[in-house]
Amino acid sequence: LEEKNRELTSLNKISSTTRGRINLEQVKAEVIRGVKQGLGYEEAFLVAQDEEGVMKIFMTKDSPYAEVLEKELGLPLMDATFSLDSKNNLLAQVMKTKKVFIRYELSAVTMGALPDISAEQATQLQDKFGFKKFIAAPLVAEQKVLGVLVGMTRDPWIEPEAVQAFEGFADQAALVIDNVLLIGRLKRQNAELERVSRVKSEFLSTMSHELRTPLTAIIGFSELLLEGAMGEMSSDQKESLREVLTNGESLLDL
């Protein structure tokens, strides 16, 4: 019951995340905390596409394992990427099949990491961390695969109920992440629309000023001519000039 309560509490936090946080990094951190605190895994990380479509790794900043991994990679985790080209790549299999996979070796999880982590390095890291099982679930929302959620545990066995709980948590997390991505896209689109509207307004204002100046001159001189300020004109000339004046005033109104 306590275990189930933790799971439900964690799912509830994920459900409410979108209302309280609309920052993608915060949402990812909340997802990982949910896996660790709610589902009882020692560590977890996300692999998901960024805005350029590159697969990036995400772990929480307070992770005791992140620093070790960064030393192995030789760069910050935020700069590390994943290639999905290899057929044996676990993450590629998870995303392609949209199914949960469980592996015993860390090397199966790190395959495809860039910079490369060799099988020997992965084995050494696994021995150092003491992890026995790795579970990977796809992040699927509206038929779109957003990435993979990976949980790591020192337990030698993951119960079927725990696998179902992890998969359900990943589904809920995917919906939240997708909502945050949607909010981000809408914000960028709104900003672009505001920019376009501002440019349009500036253009119309400039055009209005540039057109108004010569039209005012046309109307003014037409009125002077009709009043005879520059000499008498024939009736035909006056009639033509009235057309000029009328059309000029119409343009000015527009």
Side-chain angles (χ1 to χ4, degrees):
L1 285 173
E2 288 179 358
E3 184 177 332
K4 197 65 179 176
N5 183 56
R6 285 198 304 270
E7 292 176 10
L8 292 173
T9 301
S10 186
L11 283 171
N12 182 58
K13 283 185 179 179
I14 287 296
S15 300
S16 61
T17 295
T18 321
R19 296 192 294 272
R21 298 181 178 88
I22 54 174
N23 179 282
L24 185 57
E25 299 303 302
Q26 289 178 316
V27 169
K28 288 178 178 178
E30 190 65 51
V31 168
I32 291 175
R33 276 193 290 270
V35 173
K36 293 162 69 173
Q37 297 172 9
L39 302 183
Y41 289 84
E42 276 77 28
E43 188 53 80
F45 67 89
L46 278 164
V47 176
Q49 290 184 348
D50 62 9
E51 293 178 359
E52 282 81 37
V54 179
M55 298 299 292
K56 289 290 190 75
I57 306 167
F58 181 86
M59 291 181 77
T60 52
K61 294 179 180 179
D62 59 352
S63 168
Y65 308 101
E67 186 177 353
V68 179
L69 287 171
E70 286 180 342
K71 286 182 180 179
E72 289 292 329
L73 291 169
L75 78 170
L77 276 179
M78 62 182 296
D79 295 331
T81 62
F82 253 93
S83 171
L84 304 177
D85 294 336
S86 173
K87 292 181 180 179
N88 298 321
N89 187 301
L90 173 64
L91 303 182
Q93 292 176 358
V94 171
M95 293 181 69
K96 183 177 180 180
T97 62
K98 298 181 183 179
K99 293 181 179 179
V100 177
F101 279 73
I102 297 175
R103 291 291 183 269
Y104 296 91
E105 302 84 15
L106 180 60
S107 57
V109 181
T110 58
M111 185 178 294
L114 300 171
D116 180 62
I117 296 179
S118 67
E120 292 76 17
Q121 283 178 298
T123 300
Q124 290 174 2
L125 285 171
Q126 184 171 351
D127 292 339
K128 185 174 184 177
F129 296 155
F131 296 135
K132 297 289 196 309
K133 281 287 184 69
F134 305 89
I135 181 170
L139 295 168
V140 183
E142 303 295 335
Q143 302 302 313
K144 296 179 297 184
V145 183
L146 306 177
V148 181
L149 177 62
V150 180
M152 297 175 277
T153 179
R154 294 188 178 96
D155 292 333
W157 177 255
I158 300 177
E159 298 290 341
E161 294 81 4
V163 175
Q164 292 178 359
F166 190 86
E167 186 174 17
F169 188 90
D171 290 341
Q172 189 69 36
L175 290 174
V176 174
I177 291 172
D178 191 47
N179 285 339
V180 175
L181 290 172
L182 176 60
I183 291 170
R185 286 194 296 271
L186 289 174
K187 279 189 170 183
R188 290 191 294 273
Q189 289 172 359
N190 284 338
E192 178 63 15
L193 287 173
E194 288 177 3
R195 187 192 69 80
V196 171
S197 179
R198 186 172 61 254
V199 170
K200 183 183 73 173
S201 297
E202 291 172 356
F203 170 76
L204 291 174
S205 177
T206 301
M207 289 302 297
S208 176
H209 177 268
E210 294 300 322
L211 291 173
R212 186 179 294 276
T213 302
L215 280 171
T216 301
I218 291 169
I219 291 169
F221 282 110
S222 297
E223 289 174 340
L224 287 173
L225 288 169
L226 285 171
E227 291 170 359
M230 299 178 187
E232 286 298 320
M233 301 177 66
S234 67
S235 58
D236 288 341
Q237 288 174 328
K238 288 182 178 180
E239 186 65 29
S240 295
L241 201 53
R242 287 192 186 93
E243 285 294 321
V244 172
L245 181 59
T246 300
N247 285 284
E249 289 175 339
S250 296
L251 283 174
L252 189 60
D253 288 338
L254 288 174

